Amino acid sequence: GHAYYLLRRYSEATATLKRLLTRNPDYMPAHGFLAIINGELGRQDEAQTAGESALQISPALSLDILQQRLPYKDPAVLARVISAAQKSGLV
């Protein structure tokens, strides 16, 4: 799901992450990336729902933690992820 997101193949990313969550519903990164994808696409309700699920699993999640866990070499990619995470209410 993460790789599809980076390639901007959002429908495939979403489908992959949702399949993952049927097997492991408490996997916070899947909820987080669903929030990020939906935030980037302007789907605020879906982004907020996924973000709330991520924060229930990992209530200490913050902007600093997200930046540490996603050490992209390309600053533009990190900015894209952070912007979408903020739009979703994830951080």
Side-chain angles (χ1 to χ4, degrees):
H2 185 181
Y4 283 132
Y5 165 74
L6 293 174
L7 294 170
R8 297 182 191 265
R9 293 168 61 177
Y10 301 118
S11 62
E12 292 161 291
T14 299
T16 299
L17 293 167
K18 286 182 177 181
R19 268 194 318 273
L20 188 156
L21 288 172
T22 63
R23 295 181 189 137
N24 188 354
D26 293 329
Y27 188 61
M28 190 282 296
H31 291 286
F33 271 101
L34 283 172
I36 288 168
I37 290 166
N38 285 304
E40 191 164 311
L41 294 174
R43 298 178 183 154
Q44 196 59 35
D45 291 340
E46 293 97 333
Q48 187 173 354
T49 299
E52 288 170 358
S53 295
L55 290 171
Q56 285 178 349
I57 297 164
S58 184
L61 187 63
S62 68
L63 183 60
D64 288 336
I65 290 172
L66 188 62
Q67 289 175 323
Q68 290 172 11
R69 290 185 182 170
L70 301 172
Y72 297 113
K73 289 184 180 184
D74 184 347
V77 173
L78 181 59
R80 176 179 152 212
V81 171
I82 297 301
S83 175
Q86 289 172 322
K87 287 178 190 175
S88 72
L90 185 59
V91 293

